[in-house]
Amino acid sequence: MNSVSGELTNLLESSRTVPMRVFVVSRLKKRGFQILPCFFSSSRLNVDQKGTVIGVKPSEVGTSDDADCQIDFFTKFGKKLAKTFFLEDIVKRTNFKGLKGQCLPLYGLRDSSLLVLSGLGKEDSTTFECVGDYIDDGINQLKESIRVAASVGVKQLMKDGCTVIEVDTMGDPAAAAEGATLATYHFHQLKTLKQNYSKNTMEDVRISPLNAHEEVCLQSWSKGVIYAECQNLARTLMELPANILTPSSFCERTVQLFNNFSDSVRCSIRDEEWIRGQGMEALYTVGKGSIEPTMFLEIEYCSSPEHAVLQDPLVFVGKGVTFDSGGISIKPSSRMEQMKADMGGAACVVGVIKAVASLGAPGRVIGLIPLCENMPSGDACRPGDVVRTRKGLTIEVENTDAEGRLILCDALSYADELYPDARAVISIATLTGAMDVALGAGATGAFCASRLLYTVIEESGHEAGDRFWRMPLFRHYQAQIKSDVADIKNVGGRSAGACTAAALLQNFISNKRFAHLDIAGVMHASPFEGSVCPYLSRGMQGRPVRSLIVLAEKLFSKERVYK
Ligand code: BES
Ligand code: MN
Ligand code: ZN
C-alpha cells in the first residue's frame, strides 16, 4: 500500500474509539474555511508534507444517511473517513457544498497528512451550471468535473506546501490523473532564483492515485498522466523563447524525446538543400530572412511492423514558426513576444506523437513539421515577391506576415503526394489573428469539408474536455485570394481572415479527409482573458493535444469504421 493512504488507513483503524476532537473553525481568506484542531502546531506544516484529495458531491435528498448534510462522500474510503472523523458535522458548519470548483481543507485531523475535500458538483450540471441560455458544449461533464476536482484539490495542497499528494480516483482514474498533472504545471526552467518560482511544480511534487490497488485502475491513471504530460510538453515547447528554441534545436529536442522509442518512432531532419530540392520555395522564402536555417522535420510512428506497410496513416502537419516578427510587413511590438509560440501547431504534433508512442497505441501516425523563423533582413522576402510552391502553383506574397499558410502549403502538398490514402490529414497552426477575434480561447476553429471527420474531431474534444467549432471551407473564399500577377495571393483582405487562410491551404491537398485546425485563439491564456478552465494556468496552453490523442485512438480503433 502506498504511503499516505496506508497511513490514513492505519489512523482510521486506530482512531475508531477516539472521541471527536474539538475543532476551531477559522475563515481563511475568501476561499472558504480551514479547520484546525485546538492543539495545532504550526511547525508540523513545514516538513515534507503529505496530502490527500477526496472527491465529494452535493448530497441528493434522500440518499445521504444524514438528511441535513450537504455532501455525499463519493468513495468508500471517503465514507469511512467521514464516519471516523465526524466530517459531516464539520462540513455542516461551513459553506462547503461539494460544488464543482469548491474545496475544503481539513487540516489537523491527524498528525502528518493534510486532507482536502474537493467538490465534483451535481452529476448533471453543465460547465457553467446553467442550461438553456447557453449552447451545451457537449463536454463529458462527468470526466470534466473529476479533472476539476482533482486539480483544485491538488493546487490547494500545493499552496499549503504538500510535496507528496494522493488523489482520489473518483471513478475515473484517467480524468483524475489529467486534472492533477495539468494543474501542477509551471514553466520555470529559465528561472535561477528560487524565490522567483512557485515552490511546488511537477518536478518536486509526487502525485499518485489513492487506494488504487487494481491493475486496471493503475493503468487508467498512467494513461491520464501520459495525456497530460504530453500536453505539458507542448506547453513547454511553446513557452521556450525563440533564442533557445530555433528550428534546429526544435529538431534536436524532438530526436531526444524519441530516443527511447527507436523501435516505433523514426525522425528525419531535412535541411535547406533538401527543402529546395523538393521545390518547397514557399517554405524556403519565409525562412530566408533569418540567420537560423529552415528545417523540415518528419516523424513517423508505427505501432508494429504490420502497421508500417499500412497505406492509410494519420498525418499531422504542424506550423513551426519559431518566431514570427511579421518579416518586412513587421508586426507592432505590443505582444510580439507571444510569437515565440507560433510553433504551437508543431508542438502539438510532437505532443500527440509522443503520447501515442508512450501508450503504444495501434496505428501509424506521421508528423510533418516545416520549421523556420520569420524575420526582416536584407535577405528577407519582400511584399510583392512571387514564389513557386512545391505543387507548382504560384503565390504572390502580398503580406510577409501571412507566412504560416506559405510554409503549410508546401508541407500539405508533400503529405498529399506521399500519403494519398491517408485516413486523415490534419494541419494544426497558430494561423490567424482573425481566428482569435472570432472564437477567442473558447474553441479551436476546425475547417473540415468532411462531416464524418469533423464529427470525430468534435467527439474527441468532448472526451478530452476541449472545444472545437466548425468553420467553413466554402469555395466562395477562393475569390478573395485571386492574384493579378500569380495564381493566388497570400492574403484575402480583412473579411473572413481565418477562412481565406484555410481556403488557401485547401488548394494544396486533394484528400477529402482534410481538416485544418486554427489554434491562434487557444494558444495562450492571460489572467485578463479569464481562465480557460481551472486546471490550465495562464501562459501557453498546449491545446488541443489531448483531443488529438483521443482522435488518433479513435481513427485506429477497430470498433469504429472510419474509411
Ligand atoms: N502567427 C500569426 C497569427 C497569430 C496572431 C497567432 C496572434 C496567434 C496570435 C500569423 O502568422 C499572422 O501574422 N497572421 C496575420 C495574417 C494577416 C497578415 C493576413 C494576422 O492574423 O494578422
Ligand atoms: Mn505572421
Ligand atoms: Zn505566424
Side-chain angles (χ1 to χ4, degrees):
M1 191 180 297
N2 34 30
S3 53
V4 182
S5 66
E7 247 179 64
L8 261 179
T9 315
N10 290 342
L11 194 78
L12 281 172
E13 301 298 316
S14 65
S15 57
R16 282 230 170 86
T17 53
V18 176
M20 185 188 171
R21 291 199 238 165
V22 185
F23 288 93
V24 177
V25 181
S26 67
R27 196 182 276 273
L28 198 88
K29 292 188 187 153
K30 279 185 190 153
R31 265 186 267 122
F33 296 90
Q34 194 179 41
I35 296 174
L36 307 169
C38 277
F39 312 109
F40 170 72
S41 146
S42 62
S43 62
R44 287 238 170 93
L45 288 180
N46 293 330
V47 295
D48 185 24
Q49 199 46 263
K50 292 167 185 171
T52 308
V53 180
I54 305 279
V56 296
K57 291 193 290 196
S59 75
E60 284 163 40
V61 186
T63 60
S64 171
D65 292 346
D66 177 353
D68 288 341
C69 185
Q70 302 109 308
I71 60 167
D72 273 340
F73 287 87
F74 196 59
T75 55
K76 253 194 201 158
F77 186 79
K79 287 195 169 87
K80 211 166 158 189
L81 206 68
K83 229 177 186 159
T84 311
F85 293 110
F86 303 91
L87 294 187
E88 300 201 342
D89 288 328
I90 301 170
V91 171
K92 258 190 246 170
R93 291 189 240 156
T94 72
N95 280 331
F96 182 68
K97 297 211 164 44
L99 298 179
K100 196 165 156 185
Q102 248 189 342
C103 82
L104 178 69
L106 295 173
Y107 298 166
L109 289 176
R110 55 204 204 85
D111 287 346
S112 59
S113 179
L114 307 187
L115 187 70
V116 164
L117 303 185
S118 199
L120 285 153
K122 292 199 189 87
E123 218 152 84
D124 57 354
S125 62
T126 60
T127 322
F128 305 105
E129 312 225 308
C130 163
V131 254
D133 292 345
Y134 297 96
I135 293 178
D136 182 6
D137 60 21
I139 289 177
N140 181 328
Q141 285 306 316
L142 204 59
K143 281 182 189 295
E144 189 67 359
S145 61
I146 294 167
R147 285 185 198 106
V148 171
S151 72
V152 169
V154 165
K155 273 192 190 163
Q156 179 66 51
L157 287 168
M158 279 177 23
K159 254 185 229 153
D160 292 322
C162 284
T163 46
V164 178
I165 300 176
E166 288 203 331
V167 179
D168 184 352
T169 52
M170 297 174 267
D172 191 334
E178 283 178 29
T181 311
L182 291 165
T184 55
Y185 178 82
H186 282 276
F187 178 75
H188 71 191
Q189 56 175 268
L190 302 179
K191 297 190 175 185
T192 63
L193 298 177
K194 271 228 148 148
Q195 72 255 32
N196 285 345
Y197 64 83
S198 55
K199 194 170 136 246
N200 296 301
T201 64
M202 212 158 59
E203 296 105 84
D204 38 40
V205 176
R206 272 173 293 151
I207 297 175
S208 56
L210 174 72
N211 271 353
H213 306 305
E214 290 154 31
E215 191 57 30
V216 275
C217 187
L218 283 171
Q219 265 175 17
S220 163
W221 174 274
S222 319
K223 192 171 172 177
V225 170
I226 291 174
Y227 268 61
E229 279 182 346
C230 290
Q231 176 164 1
N232 289 344
L233 162 65
R235 292 162 98 176
T236 297
L237 291 171
M238 293 168 81
E239 290 284 4
L240 281 168
N243 62 327
I244 296 175
L245 197 76
T246 61
S248 28
S249 76
F250 188 103
C251 293
E252 282 159 25
R253 270 172 195 265
T254 306
V255 168
Q256 257 175 29
L257 278 169
F258 293 110
N259 257 345
N260 295 332
F261 298 90
S262 53
D263 288 348
S264 57
V265 180
R266 217 189 54 216
C267 296
S268 315
I269 303 171
R270 317 293 196 180
D271 60 9
E272 280 182 356
E273 203 184 316
W274 181 92
I275 291 166
R276 297 183 80 170
Q278 280 289 321
M280 296 180 170
E281 202 198 337
L283 166 60
Y284 175 75
T285 300
V286 173
K288 79 187 170 85
S290 165
I291 53 164
E292 294 296 338
T294 297
M295 306 254 156
F296 191 88
L297 175 63
E298 292 181 67
I299 315 170
E300 173 162 7
Y301 165 73
C302 280
S303 55
S304 63
E306 80 204 53
H307 273 116
V309 292
L310 250 182
Q311 276 309 293
D312 54 348
L314 165 59
V315 182
F316 288 114
V317 178
K319 172 177 173 183
V321 176
T322 55
F323 188 73
D324 180 13
S325 69
I328 298 294
S329 318
I330 199 160
K331 286 181 181 295
S333 53
S334 148
R335 295 203 290 174
M336 199 204 270
E337 76 287 347
Q338 285 193 6
M339 287 300 109
K340 67 178 180 180
D342 209 19
M343 31 53 71
C348 287
V349 174
V350 171
V352 179
I353 300 184
K354 180 78 202 273
V356 290
S358 306
L359 295 165
R364 182 177 179 212
V365 184
I366 313 278
L368 302 176
I369 305 179
L371 286 152
C372 64
E373 190 178 47
N374 187 21
M375 296 291 263
S377 81
D379 292 331
C381 170
R382 293 151 288 245
D385 285 0
V386 174
V387 296
R388 186 185 158 87
T389 60
R390 183 182 183 283
K391 189 175 172 178
L393 287 173
T394 52
I395 303 182
E396 179 193 5
V397 182
E398 204 176 276
N399 188 319
T400 63
D401 197 11
E403 84 296 343
R405 61 201 80 180
L406 294 174
I407 73 170
L408 288 175
C409 70
D410 276 344
L412 282 170
S413 77
Y414 182 72
D416 213 30
E417 192 177 314
L418 254 70
Y419 312 105
D421 300 318
R423 60 187 62 198
V425 176
I426 298 180
S427 62
I428 308 145
T430 48
L431 202 64
T432 65
M435 192 70 246
D436 183 36
V437 172
L439 302 180
T444 295
F447 297 81
C448 184
S450 156
R451 220 172 267 274
L452 178 58
L453 178 58
Y454 177 72
T455 306
V456 190
I457 293 172
E458 193 178 40
E459 284 174 7
S460 305
H462 293 167
E463 263 175 58
D466 208 348
R467 285 168 296 271
F468 291 88
W469 193 255
R470 193 170 182 191
M471 298 288 290
L473 266 180
F474 301 140
R475 196 183 299 277
H476 168 86
Y477 296 112
Q478 297 294 341
Q480 274 173 255
I481 51 171
K482 284 231 146 61
S483 164
D484 289 339
V485 294
D487 296 323
I488 38 186
K489 59 181 180 179
N490 75 335
V491 288
R494 214 178 63 89
S495 306
C499 305
T500 50
L504 184 142
L505 299 182
Q506 174 89 91
N507 289 301
F508 296 86
I509 186 112
S510 59
N511 195 319
K512 296 281 171 287
R513 290 167 302 233
F514 165 61
H516 159 62
L517 307 177
D518 194 333
I519 56 169
V522 302
M523 172 182 88
H524 180 262
S526 78
F528 317 108
E529 290 154 349
S531 89
V532 172
C533 71
Y535 51 83
L536 292 177
S537 51
R538 72 196 150 87
M540 298 305 167
Q541 301 285 294
R543 293 168 70 189
V545 164
R546 283 176 305 111
S547 305
L548 298 178
I549 307 168
V550 177
L551 177 74
E553 290 194 304
K554 277 187 193 289
L555 292 188
F556 286 101
S557 92
K558 289 216 170 68
E559 290 108 65
R560 188 175 194 119
V561 186
Y562 175 81
K563 266 279 163 179

